[in-house]
């Protein structure tokens, strides 16, 4: 693990190579004032290639979003240059306003104010279904 360059903040490690930009967007990291570093295609003894995101700030992370994109990500909370906490992710049971239902007849496609909500129906295959119309997420 590498926490170089982060004295207080968050290091997202073991991101599947190529997924870091999606995470950057979903977590809206462009809204952060402090430094955010994205390292792509770093060597990993465990997974071959991986991405890493370093955030120079302690922020409230949406663990559901992270777990949905890639539940292998390790979240390292760094305080004063030391590893303070290490979190492992799980596939979330429900997703609220993370992904959108693609069914054009779904109520969420018609009514803009309704939150997009999905439920995990198959943990192994990572299948989510819209709670309103039952459409699959992928
Ligand atoms: Zn739907």
């Amino acid at each position: 693990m590498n926490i170089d360059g982060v004295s207080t903040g968050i290091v997202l490690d073991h991101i599947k190579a190529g997924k870091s930009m999606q995470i950057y967007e979903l977590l809206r990291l462009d809204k952060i004032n402090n430094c955010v570093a994205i390292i792509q295609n770093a060597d990993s003894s465990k997974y071959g290639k991986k991405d890493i995101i370093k955030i120079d700030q302690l922020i409230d992370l949406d663990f559901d979003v992270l777990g949905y994109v890639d539940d292998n990500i390790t979240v390292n909370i760094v305080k004063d240059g030391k590893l303070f906490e290490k979190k492992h992710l799980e596939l979330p049971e429900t997703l609220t306003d993370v992904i959108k239902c693609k069914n054009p007849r779904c109520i969420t496609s018609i009514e803009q104010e309704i939150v997009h909500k999905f439920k995990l129906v198959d943990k192994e295959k990572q299948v989510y279904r819209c709670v309103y119309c039952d459409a699959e997420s992928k």
Side-chain angles (χ1 to χ4, degrees), residues 38-52:
I38 296 175
I39 296 132
Q40 291 179 307
N41 283 323
D43 284 313
S44 163
S45 48
K46 236 173 163 178
Y47 302 105
K49 292 281 180 193
K50 65 174 181 180
D51 288 358
I52 304 163

Side-chain angles (χ1 to χ4, degrees), residues 100-109 116-118 129-136:
K100 286 192 180 344
C101 183
K102 290 191 180 81
N103 175 7
R105 285 182 305 249
C106 179
I107 184 115
T108 57
S109 303
H116 291 252
K117 220 169 171 181
F118 282 78
R129 281 185 188 279
C130 174
V131 298
Y132 305 103
C133 73
D134 227 28
E136 251 184 58

Side-chain angles (χ1 to χ4, degrees), residues 84-138:
F84 176 75
E85 200 181 351
K86 203 180 186 106
K87 282 187 181 157
H88 291 276
L89 300 169
E90 271 175 40
L91 218 52
E93 287 293 321
T94 54
L95 290 171
T96 305
D97 267 344
V98 177
I99 45 175
K100 286 192 180 344
C101 183
K102 290 191 180 81
N103 175 7
R105 285 182 305 249
C106 179
I107 184 115
T108 57
S109 303
I110 301 157
E111 306 269 340
Q112 302 229 317
E113 300 83 39
I114 294 177
V115 289
H116 291 252
K117 220 169 171 181
F118 282 78
K119 228 177 156 40
L120 181 64
V121 290
D122 189 331
K123 206 169 181 175
E124 226 138 90
K125 292 185 185 130
Q126 304 199 2
V127 177
Y128 284 86
R129 281 185 188 279
C130 174
V131 298
Y132 305 103
C133 73
D134 227 28
E136 251 184 58
S137 65
K138 38 181 155 181

Side-chain angles (χ1 to χ4, degrees), residues 20-38:
S20 55
M21 282 318 289
Q22 191 187 353
I23 290 166
Y24 181 87
E25 278 165 26
L26 282 169
L27 293 178
R28 298 190 177 93
L29 295 179
D30 57 320
K31 300 272 187 289
I32 291 176
N33 291 323
N34 289 37
C35 178
V36 178
I38 296 175

